[in-house]
Amino acid sequence: MKPLLTALLLAAGSAHANPVTMEDQSQLKVPDAQAQPRFVPPAEGELPDNAFGKMVREGHALFVDTRRLMPEAVGNGMNCSNCHLDQGRMAHSAPLWGAYPMYPAYRKKNDKVNTYAERIQGCFQFSMNGKPPAADSPQMTALSVYSYWLSTKAPTGVELAGRGYPEVAPPAGGYDFTRGQKVYLEQCAICHGKQGEGQKVAGEYVMPPLWGRDAYNWGAGMHRINTAASFIKYNMPLGRPGSLSDQQAWDVAAWINRHERPQDPRLVEGSIEKTRLKFHANDGVNLYGQKVEGVLIGQGTGH
């Protein structure tokens, strides 16, 4: 009997005596935000000229041009590469090489052990406000193969430096919408538009919208102010990561996430309050179901 199978059977037999604690990957953790990433994903020139290489290229194309190539699965103006920069390669931007080797994993978000395919399906449902492709679909296979290839020689089950979005601690004085609006207009609007509408060329988004009907929905991880602040701090403005202070990152993340966006697809009995209590009350720092300046946040762009 193989050692791994033996260990699993022994663990199952003693489950009551030694309960297994499964890692929650609802929010990615980073072992050391200051650690210099050492893992280097393979270069495109290393791809073999065979069926495997062809599928990796297909996955890459879907990853960077998702909205156009998978219109049946994407319900907004996003591509996978909008949140996972440099084609899923960039450290501190939830790179695929940091994610693929960590699955299967338990996620509190859906209270189950997720396969990597299920994790991607979640991105389609929430970040892309769409309809997840089937786990055994050609598109899902290609995206998974692309992720696998970027993870070539990465250790399995080890949190590599550069994985996820490094945590940015909340400022002592909290966040401020007014300051956030100022930062947004000065640093973000040139790409994402004054009203968060993004930019289009020939009818296709070249810069993603940050709020409104074509943005990520209220179930996406980026709706958390703390998650958005971490992404912004380490990746934005484009080409100048780290140029904003922690305070500015939190302020502008709060400003972005006080605006309406598509409804959480997990809406409970048509009730924002029931949805808030079930899914948002203990999910980081977010505004869903709260009133800001007398306006209920989380009504969705259909209201």
Side-chain angles (χ1 to χ4, degrees):
M1 185 176 293
K2 294 182 179 180
L4 177 57
L5 180 57
T6 302
L8 289 173
L9 291 174
L10 288 174
S14 59
H16 295 290
N18 299 290
V20 177
T21 301
M22 294 182 292
E23 180 190 3
D24 174 19
Q25 295 195 25
S26 295
Q27 289 179 262
L28 296 180
K29 306 173 187 67
V30 177
D32 183 356
Q34 305 304 318
Q36 185 66 30
R38 296 180 180 177
F39 179 78
V40 178
E44 185 177 354
E46 299 176 44
L47 269 175
D49 185 18
N50 56 20
F52 178 79
K54 180 182 178 182
M55 183 161 287
V56 169
R57 291 186 173 89
E58 290 174 359
H60 170 265
L62 294 172
F63 192 83
V64 300
D65 201 10
T66 325
R67 184 175 185 268
R68 190 177 66 84
L69 296 179
M70 299 178 67
E72 73 286 352
V74 179
N76 57 16
M78 310 290 285
N79 294 310
C80 299
S81 54
N82 291 143
C83 292
H84 310 272
L85 302 182
D86 191 21
Q87 308 160 71
R89 293 172 169 274
M90 185 177 291
H92 301 316
S93 183
L96 300 186
W97 48 260
Y100 185 88
M102 297 300 293
Y103 284 86
Y106 172 75
R107 299 188 75 226
K108 183 179 179 182
K109 185 167 186 171
N110 55 16
D111 192 27
K112 61 180 290 189
V113 174
N114 287 202
T115 63
Y116 187 71
E118 288 175 315
R119 181 66 183 87
I120 296 178
Q121 287 175 323
C123 288
F124 277 99
Q125 183 180 14
F126 300 111
S127 295
M128 309 183 86
N129 192 40
K131 181 181 179 181
D136 60 351
S137 65
Q139 297 95 330
M140 185 66 73
T141 300
L143 286 167
S144 297
V145 169
Y146 177 57
S147 302
Y148 168 81
W149 176 70
L150 284 181
S151 307
T152 301
K153 297 183 180 179
T156 300
V158 176
E159 294 202 36
L160 296 171
R163 175 185 183 238
Y165 309 134
E167 180 181 356
V168 177
Y175 54 78
D176 182 271
F177 295 128
T178 301
R179 290 196 306 257
Q181 181 183 26
K182 184 174 185 293
V183 173
Y184 182 85
L185 292 174
E186 292 176 350
Q187 303 286 346
C188 314
I190 189 171
C191 290
H192 297 287
K194 291 184 178 180
Q195 300 301 320
E197 72 275 18
Q199 285 193 49
K200 286 184 176 182
V201 172
E204 294 293 334
Y205 281 105
V206 292
M207 292 293 175
L210 299 183
W211 63 83
R213 61 185 298 175
D214 277 345
Y216 52 87
N217 68 38
W218 280 115
M222 203 65 75
H223 94 284
R224 295 187 294 255
I225 294 173
N226 54 302
T227 300
S230 298
F231 175 80
I232 291 167
K233 170 71 178 180
Y234 281 85
N235 297 284
M236 295 288 136
L238 199 62
R240 293 189 291 114
S243 61
L244 298 181
S245 67
D246 291 2
Q247 181 72 68
Q248 288 175 314
W250 270 82
D251 289 344
V252 74
W255 170 251
I256 290 169
N257 282 326
R258 67 157 292 175
H259 290 85
E260 278 301 342
R261 56 194 65 261
Q263 183 56 267
D264 189 331
R266 303 167 297 180
L267 188 67
V268 179
E269 300 175 3
S271 170
I272 293 174
E273 178 59 13
K274 289 182 179 180
T275 307
R276 183 190 72 82
L277 290 173
K278 185 171 183 177
F279 296 113
H280 298 269
N282 298 303
D283 187 22
V285 181
N286 70 84
L287 297 171
Y288 186 90
Q290 301 182 39
K291 283 191 174 182
V292 176
E293 298 178 358
V295 177
L296 179 65
I297 303 296
Q299 299 180 69
T301 50
H303 292 264

